[in-house]
Amino acid sequence: MTTMRLIAMRQASDIIRSRWVMAYALFFAAATEGLLRFAGGDVRALLSLANAMLFVTPLVTIVFGTVYLYNAREFIELLLAQPVRRRDLFGGLYLGLTATLVAAWLVGVGVPFLLHGSFLTAGASRTLLVLLATGAALTASFTALATLVVVRVDDRLKGLGVAIATWFVLALLYDGVVLLVVSLSGDRNIEPMMLVLMALNPVDLARVLVLLQLDVAALLGYTGAVFTRIFAGPAGAALGALVLSLWIAAPLALAARLFRKKDF
C-alpha cells in the first residue's frame, strides 16, 4: 500500500468515529426519511433536500474540515519528522477527510431512498443520482477550501472565522450581490457577466445542476436562467460539472503548493 493511501485510511478511521460526522449523516437520514413520508412526492422531497444540501453541506464541510485539520497539526508535524514526502502527506490528509464526509452524505441521503426505492419514478431516480453526485462534488470543493484556509492561516480562531466567512459569502450573500449587479446594469446585455458570476460560486453551480433535472425554472435564479437559455441540454450539464470540478482542483492545487513550502 502506498504512503498516501495509508495516511488516508488512518485519517478516515479516525474521522468516522467523530460524533459530528455521525450527527451529519443522521441529520440527512432523518430529513430524507421525513421528506419521503410527508413531502407529498419524491420530486418535492428531492427539491427540499437540494435546498438543505446547498446550505448545510458547505457549512458542515468547511467548518468541520477546518477544525479537524487544525487539531491534526501535531500529527502532521510528527509525520513530517519521518521519511514521508509532503505530497503523500497532503494527499492522504485531503483524501481521508473528503472520503469520510462524502460517505456520510451518501449514506445519510442514499439509505432512506434505497428503503423507499420502489416509490421512485425514472426521472426522480436520475435526479437523485445528480443530487448525490453534486453533493459529493460540493463536499470535495469545500474540503479543498478548508484545507487552503488551514495551510494559509496559522491562527486557529482567525482561520475558523475565514472559513465561516467564506461559507457566508458563497451560500448566503452571493445571490444578493448578483441581484445588485442586475439592478445596476439597466438595459445592457449582462448575460456573459452572469455566466462568469455563476462560475465564481460553487454553490450556485450546484444549485443549477440539480434544478436542471426538475421542472422548477422559477427557482433557478437569474444566473441559472441565463445558463439554461445558452447551454441547454446535456452540454450545459457537462459544462457546469466541469466548472464545478475546477472548484475542487484550483483551491486544492494552491493549498498543495503552499503546503510544500510551509515551515511547520
Side-chain angles (χ1 to χ4, degrees):
M1 297 181 69
T2 64
T3 303
M4 184 183 299
R5 187 182 302 178
L6 286 173
I7 296 173
M9 292 179 63
R10 159 66 175 76
Q11 294 299 101
S13 64
D14 180 52
I15 297 171
I16 203 170
R17 294 192 296 268
S18 170
R19 294 180 180 178
W20 291 103
V21 174
M22 294 181 182
Y24 175 61
L26 289 174
F27 166 80
F28 274 111
T32 304
E33 180 67 24
L35 288 170
L36 287 173
R37 289 180 179 273
F38 305 113
D42 46 20
V43 174
R44 291 186 179 181
L46 288 168
L47 182 58
S48 298
L49 275 175
N51 289 327
M53 175 197 72
L54 294 174
F55 290 97
V56 177
T57 295
L59 176 61
V60 171
T61 300
I62 198 168
V63 171
F64 179 83
T66 301
V67 172
Y68 180 82
L69 290 174
Y70 274 125
N71 291 336
R73 183 67 62 89
E74 293 182 359
F75 174 73
I76 295 172
E77 294 174 353
L78 175 64
L79 286 185
L80 287 177
Q82 310 301 319
V84 176
R85 293 183 299 180
R86 290 201 174 204
R87 181 180 63 184
D88 293 336
L89 176 56
F90 179 84
L93 289 170
Y94 175 76
L95 290 176
L97 177 61
T98 304
T100 308
L101 291 174
V102 168
W105 156 254
L106 295 178
V107 170
V109 175
V111 170
F113 271 101
L114 286 176
L115 297 176
H116 295 267
S118 59
F119 299 101
L120 287 177
T121 63
S125 298
R126 183 178 63 253
T127 304
L128 173 61
L129 293 177
V130 173
L131 176 68
L132 292 174
T134 304
L138 205 57
T139 299
S141 174
F142 275 82
T143 305
L145 289 171
T147 306
L148 178 59
V149 169
V150 173
V151 175
R152 183 66 180 83
V153 182
D154 289 327
D155 185 81
R156 298 190 179 198
L157 290 179
K158 184 178 179 181
L160 184 58
V162 171
I164 295 175
T166 301
W167 167 82
F168 179 79
V169 170
L170 294 177
L172 298 177
L173 188 62
Y174 198 83
D175 285 342
V177 173
V178 171
L179 290 176
L180 179 62
V181 170
V182 172
S183 64
L184 294 177
S185 298
D187 296 330
R188 287 176 291 181
N189 181 20
I190 59 172
E191 289 188 352
M193 184 189 302
M194 290 298 100
L195 292 176
V196 172
L197 287 174
M198 187 184 69
L200 293 176
N201 187 354
V203 178
D204 208 11
L205 277 168
R207 175 168 58 86
V208 171
L209 286 174
V210 174
L211 295 183
L212 280 175
Q213 308 298 317
L214 301 169
D215 188 18
V216 285
L219 299 178
L220 284 170
Y222 194 92
T223 55
V226 172
F227 182 86
T228 53
R229 185 164 60 252
I230 299 178
F231 301 105
L239 178 62
L242 175 62
V243 178
L244 186 58
S245 67
L246 293 178
W247 267 100
I248 303 173
L252 190 61
L254 180 57
R257 182 180 179 182
L258 294 174
F259 186 82
R260 287 195 299 268
K261 299 179 179 180
K262 188 174 179 63
D263 183 10
F264 287 91

